[in-house]
Amino acid sequence: MIIGKLTQMTMLNYGATAQKQFVHNTDNLANQGVDYPLSYLSTSEIEALGDALPKSESFDEALSPYGVKYYGCSLLLRSKTTLRFYFEKTGTGEYSADNFKINGAPAEVKNYQDGSRYVYIEITDIPSPDLDKAYDISVGSVTIGSVSPLSYVKDVLTDDSASADLINVITALYRYHEAAKILFG
């Protein structure tokens, strides 16, 4: 019973911080009337989040034969989380969607927008207890990294330019993840 209540309160905090981040229904926050403050991560908790997101400088040259360079990563927060990796087509090398893999399996490559020079691959429907699950991302023989949604959390929480609203929603997401891991064992 206590674990379920904890999960519910952390989910309400997550909902309220997301409402603020995305400026949606901010006059009626999900955690309105709930006395459960958001607990920020300590330095040791942040350090324990695992690998940070990859930095393009470390492997862009190695990606050139595949006709792309790494552009970045985003975390989409919906009913389930999506981790998305973006690549820019360079016009040089042998671009082939067949080269993109997640955990060694072919990944569906999508155009970011019609006519865009950007493509992306994504891991969808990640449930809250699994936000710490790492995925190996590769293009051809180049390993981009072994990353999880918590890699994105770590990047935000160590980025001095991150807005307070983004820090809050990412913190609440992490706390909800912790509670969900306990609840779902």
Side-chain angles (χ1 to χ4, degrees), residues 5 9 12-13 16 27-37:
K5 189 73 168 168
M9 290 186 294
L12 292 172
N13 279 348
D27 293 336
N28 188 23
L29 296 176
N31 67 350
Q32 194 169 353
V34 174
D35 187 25
Y36 188 75

Side-chain angles (χ1 to χ4, degrees), residues 3-155:
I3 299 300
K5 189 73 168 168
L6 171 67
T7 305
Q8 180 184 19
M9 290 186 294
T10 58
M11 184 170 58
L12 292 172
N13 279 348
Y14 171 47
T17 59
Q19 284 175 266
K20 289 178 183 177
Q21 169 68 20
F22 300 111
V23 193
H24 176 75
N25 201 18
T26 57
D27 293 336
N28 188 23
L29 296 176
N31 67 350
Q32 194 169 353
V34 174
D35 187 25
Y36 188 75
L38 184 61
S39 173
Y40 293 94
L41 279 72
S42 67
T43 302
S44 61
E45 285 178 303
I46 294 170
E47 290 171 359
L49 290 176
D51 292 339
L53 292 174
K55 303 296 183 221
S56 65
E57 308 82 53
S58 63
F59 45 76
D60 273 347
E61 188 174 322
L63 288 176
S64 64
Y66 302 103
V68 295
K69 67 181 187 177
Y70 178 71
Y71 187 74
C73 179
S74 68
L75 194 63
L76 286 72
L77 307 174
R78 298 195 174 126
S79 60
K80 290 191 180 174
T81 304
T82 296
L83 186 59
R84 186 178 284 177
F85 298 88
Y86 300 89
F87 299 86
E88 182 178 6
K89 293 187 243 177
T90 61
T92 61
E94 296 292 323
Y95 170 78
S96 171
D98 296 333
N99 288 320
F100 294 81
K101 297 197 175 15
I102 299 171
N103 288 340
E108 182 180 358
V109 178
K110 300 176 182 176
N111 286 314
Y112 178 65
Q113 296 173 336
D114 287 339
S116 173
R117 67 179 193 247
Y118 298 96
V119 295
Y120 65 90
I121 60 174
E122 61 187 1
I123 300 126
T124 60
D125 298 330
I126 305 168
S128 54
D130 293 341
L131 296 181
D132 56 353
K133 180 180 177 188
Y135 299 88
D136 296 322
I137 308 302
S138 62
V139 179
S141 63
V142 181
T143 299
I144 304 300
S146 182
V147 295
S148 73
L150 294 188
S151 301
Y152 184 88
V153 170
K154 184 174 192 169
D155 272 20

Side-chain angles (χ1 to χ4, degrees), residues 21 154-167:
Q21 169 68 20
K154 184 174 192 169
D155 272 20
V156 168
L157 296 179
T158 58
D159 181 354
D160 293 336
S161 66
S163 72
D165 284 340
L166 181 58
I167 289 170

